[in-house]
Amino acid sequence: MRMLFYEAVYNIVESRYPCEEIHYDMLAGLQALVEFGAFDSQMHNSEFYSDYVKQFYPEHLRRKKLYQYIPGLRPKTTVEKRLMSRHGSTSLQYGDLINDNTIQRKYLEFCWTLPYYGSAFFHGQIERRHTKGRKLVELIGDSDLDVLVAVNRDGVFVINENTVAVLLGLTYQELSWEFAESKCAKNNPNCMPCLFLKFEVVDEQQTVSKLFQIFSKEAIMVDALIQSCVDMLEAESQETGGGDAVDGKTAENTKQAFFSRLTSMDDTHMCNKMDKLCLTTFNAEGECIDNR
């Protein structure tokens, strides 16, 4: 349990598990109970946490906002104060369980509901979507976006490394994929192999196919892992007569709810953002009808 707990903490703090801010605060409060014990108002003031916030919050939440560089303007709250507040409230709620694995399990129970829990992570790049301001972006030399590609037995997820937001999440039932490598890749270090993801969506009342390209030096490993996951799921399906053997119905049902959220266009960190992706669109006849 302890090893799983600290693995989950690492993935949260290293920005591998996108969450909403309220979730980060909740997890930080649970972790504080494990690390510091019961909240003590005499000892646990905001200054106490200043040396520890890196161990509780990912970098994008610790990053200063632009307005904070303006003299005289201060944020209403700080990460240290947020951690102090959550440590205090969580201590009141679970204080009698501090010496038990229950706190670590509470942390893990939330992480288990995340569709990308247990993923292997790979670094990649994607093209920015064609917009009016894209030419200006290309002029300053930043036309590509750094992403993490997360792969587990449930699906494939593309995460914006800077904002720690899910850009795309697909189950294996939704996607087909293909690895590709240019002939010049061996002689040109800047020519990276790529992975194509293809999936169907309903766009303007018609079903179309979307093609998404990810460039990565690790693309061949992503391809191999996806194939292994698909083979494993197919073997399990045959053994169970088409069923899916999953431990923990509650966690699995909650995870499916998160998958449903991934198809939403709400502007949150945990939803698909296909309007921000550079996608090629094909109609039912295979004709390219959009490329942006």
Side-chain angles (χ1 to χ4, degrees):
M1 177 73 73
R2 189 174 181 83
M3 290 181 64
L4 289 175
F5 168 72
Y6 280 108
E7 178 189 36
V9 168
Y10 175 83
N11 285 324
I12 287 289
V13 174
E14 290 298 312
S15 307
R16 293 180 168 187
Y17 288 169
C19 298
E20 306 297 350
E21 287 199 22
I22 189 174
H23 298 144
Y24 286 119
D25 287 334
M26 178 269 292
L27 294 173
L30 291 170
Q31 185 187 347
L33 274 187
V34 175
E35 302 289 349
F36 305 132
F39 179 77
D40 183 345
S41 59
Q42 299 298 317
M43 178 175 65
H44 297 137
N45 51 39
S46 60
E47 288 77 16
F48 170 84
Y49 299 99
S50 60
D51 293 331
Y52 298 103
V53 289
K54 291 182 179 180
Q55 302 171 26
F56 290 82
Y57 285 96
E59 192 273 336
H60 74 283
L61 290 184
R62 295 182 277 107
R63 192 184 303 152
K64 280 189 175 183
K65 305 295 188 295
L66 289 176
Y67 70 84
Q68 292 181 249
Y69 292 95
I70 302 176
L73 289 182
R74 294 184 179 181
K76 294 181 179 180
T77 186
T78 62
V79 179
E80 290 83 1
K81 289 181 179 178
R82 286 166 58 179
L83 179 54
M84 179 182 69
S85 176
R86 290 304 305 208
H87 186 191
S89 61
T90 308
S91 184
L92 289 174
Q93 186 176 2
Y94 299 110
D96 58 332
L97 303 174
I98 289 176
N99 295 320
D100 200 321
N101 286 338
T102 306
I103 299 300
Q104 295 180 20
R105 185 174 182 84
K106 289 287 183 184
Y107 193 104
L108 284 168
E109 282 176 350
F110 172 80
C111 292
W112 288 337
T113 67
L114 298 173
Y116 22 83
Y117 177 80
S119 291
F121 294 89
F122 305 90
H123 293 280
Q125 294 179 333
I126 63 173
E127 289 186 74
R128 293 182 186 271
R129 183 180 174 89
H130 292 271
T131 61
K132 292 181 180 180
R134 188 181 177 199
K135 290 185 178 180
L136 177 61
V137 173
E138 291 177 345
L139 286 175
I140 61 177
D142 190 23
S143 60
D144 291 334
L145 186 67
D146 291 332
V147 297
L148 282 176
V149 182
V151 181
N152 63 13
R153 59 167 287 149
D154 293 312
V156 180
F157 309 88
V158 181
I159 300 168
N160 185 324
E161 282 201 78
N162 183 50
T163 62
V164 194
V166 177
L167 297 174
L168 184 66
L170 298 166
T171 65
Y172 294 118
Q173 291 76 18
E174 296 175 289
L175 68 86
S176 58
W177 81 99
E178 185 172 347
F179 169 78
E181 185 175 23
S182 172
K183 293 181 180 180
C184 68
K186 294 182 180 180
N187 300 321
N188 185 356
N190 295 320
C191 183
M192 290 189 288
C194 65
L195 193 75
F196 289 98
L197 302 181
K198 187 178 182 181
F199 54 97
E200 291 186 347
V201 299
V202 177
D203 190 2
E204 297 182 356
Q205 299 183 340
Q206 66 172 328
T207 301
V208 296
S209 297
K210 299 282 187 178
L211 189 65
F212 180 51
Q213 187 176 19
I214 305 170
F215 298 92
S216 174
K217 294 180 180 179
E218 302 168 315
I220 192 169
M221 291 187 286
V222 180
D223 173 52
L225 184 54
I226 292 176
Q227 186 64 62
S228 296
C229 290
V230 170
D231 290 344
M232 179 179 63
L233 291 173
E234 288 180 349
E236 288 182 0
S237 179
Q238 292 176 1
E239 290 176 2
T240 58
D244 187 11
V246 179
D247 293 327
K249 291 293 183 181
T250 302
E252 187 62 22
N253 290 340
T254 309
K255 181 177 288 186
Q256 290 304 317
F258 274 102
F259 264 115
S260 297
R261 288 186 62 192
L262 286 172
T263 63
S264 168
M265 296 306 292
D266 295 337
D267 189 19
T268 69
H269 285 77
M270 302 169 69
C271 295
N272 277 336
K273 298 175 180 61
M274 285 188 283
D275 60 323
K276 299 183 183 299
L277 298 177
C278 185
L279 300 168
T280 303
T281 305
F282 298 89
N283 62 19
E285 288 72 38
E287 299 171 334
C288 180
I289 58 176
D290 193 9
N291 184 12
R292 58 179 178 178

